[in-house]
Amino acid sequence: NVIFIFIDTVRADHLSVYGYQRNTSPNLAKLAERASVFENAFTPSPSTYQAVPKFMQSSFWDAHVETWTEVLARNGYNTILFPARRAATLYRRIKDPQMINSARTNNLKESVDSVIDTFKKAPDGQPLCAYLYAFEPHMPYRERRDFYFGSSLADLYDGEIAYADHHLGRLFDWLEQSGKINDTMIIIMSDHGESLGERAVYKHNSQLYNEQMRVPMIIHLPGQPARRISDYVSTIDLGSTILNAVGIACPKEYTGVSLLPLLRGEMFTRPPVYGEHWQRNDSPFFDPQYNVDPEIKKYMVITQDGYKLIYSANYNTFELFNLKDDPTEQRNLYDRMPEKAAAMKQLLGRFIDVVSVSRPPDADEQRFFRGSQDDEESK
């Protein structure tokens, strides 16, 4: 079985399992004791509408190929989406109506109850893929009385994460008690992070710094010991990894790589990690003065030695950071390391060329700027 848990808008450094000082994620930390924690996982985009087509098709662009959920369904999996809200964004990526749960739920609590009930009723012999989507950490933040850290935006954000962790903990506990955890692959991830005042920004979908690009990625694979993996990886690798882990061939068009060797503790070097942002989307939750970043065409590359280059096509500017020494990206080394910068510029230029040629003219990332009407109605 496969349980894919997509939690919207979670930056890795606000989870206690990633070293955050607040205990926001005790249940994820408990799961991590028997799972692989990817310490440096990155989204291909800080925007949901740009990221989803990419990690569903294991590609750095909307490639118009089968999603990994469609591949699972074609190979005998009963694949069910538990969408909560904003379902239309995911429906566009899961096109087979047999794969969608008709009973839409209103919140994560009900979704978790529905997943547990579905597993209880699942017939023997047919593998199940449950795709669980949690909207709760996304703005607007609600005050969670049982998970209250304070009244600031960051406090409320942490409370939403703790609320989500609590209900996911109920699912993990049931899997443990039922024994299902022994034959179920569990994936925890997010589409992007969130700026909480860094660089005077209070949103996502705007920048390629770590607060918006570094995301949690935790994979429980039965039979494999717990690991902390420091390699730089992308969420586009998840589709290839899931299919590889359950023994199904990936579509040849996938550019994401299987991380199964890392889950097994084998030697493996992932190619550079890329990302981009090229649609402006001002936050509807703040006045215009908080939307301080007008740039809309940015690209990044991260190499396995921990260096990250960000290029702004609007202003033809570059920033180079050493993430191992400077994880908050405060010291631009571009002028101090010209040889390193030149090598990474070549990598990034190659990526921009490939994406520019390969992205279809009707790519999902272009057609849905703020999502569809169904998205708005589902909020």
Side-chain angles (χ1 to χ4, degrees), residues 3 5 80 82-84 101 103-122 128 130 132-133 136 163-164 166-172 174-175:
I3 298 181
I5 301 173
I80 303 175
F82 298 86
N101 187 354
R104 292 178 57 179
T105 60
N106 294 320
N107 54 51
L108 181 57
K109 178 181 182 301
E110 295 179 16
S111 291
V112 167
D113 292 339
S114 185
V115 172
I116 293 173
D117 184 63
T118 299
F119 265 83
K120 287 179 177 178
K121 297 177 179 177
L128 174 65
L132 176 59
Y133 171 67
E136 276 72 7
Y163 172 84
H166 168 73
H167 287 292
L168 292 177
R170 296 193 300 112
L171 174 59
F172 302 153
W174 182 84
L175 290 169

Side-chain angles (χ1 to χ4, degrees), residues 280-300:
R280 180 168 180 172
N281 187 359
D282 290 342
S283 173
F285 305 108
F286 287 101
D287 293 332
Q289 66 265 27
Y290 290 99
N291 295 308
V292 298
D293 188 17
E295 302 172 54
I296 58 173
K297 290 184 179 179
K298 311 181 193 72
Y299 304 89
M300 77 168 195

Side-chain angles (χ1 to χ4, degrees), residues 312-330:
S312 168
N314 295 78
Y315 302 111
N316 194 32
T317 57
F318 293 88
E319 296 173 279
L320 177 65
F321 301 105
N322 181 347
L323 299 183
K324 293 182 178 179
D325 296 338
D326 181 24
T328 60
E329 298 159 297
Q330 301 298 315

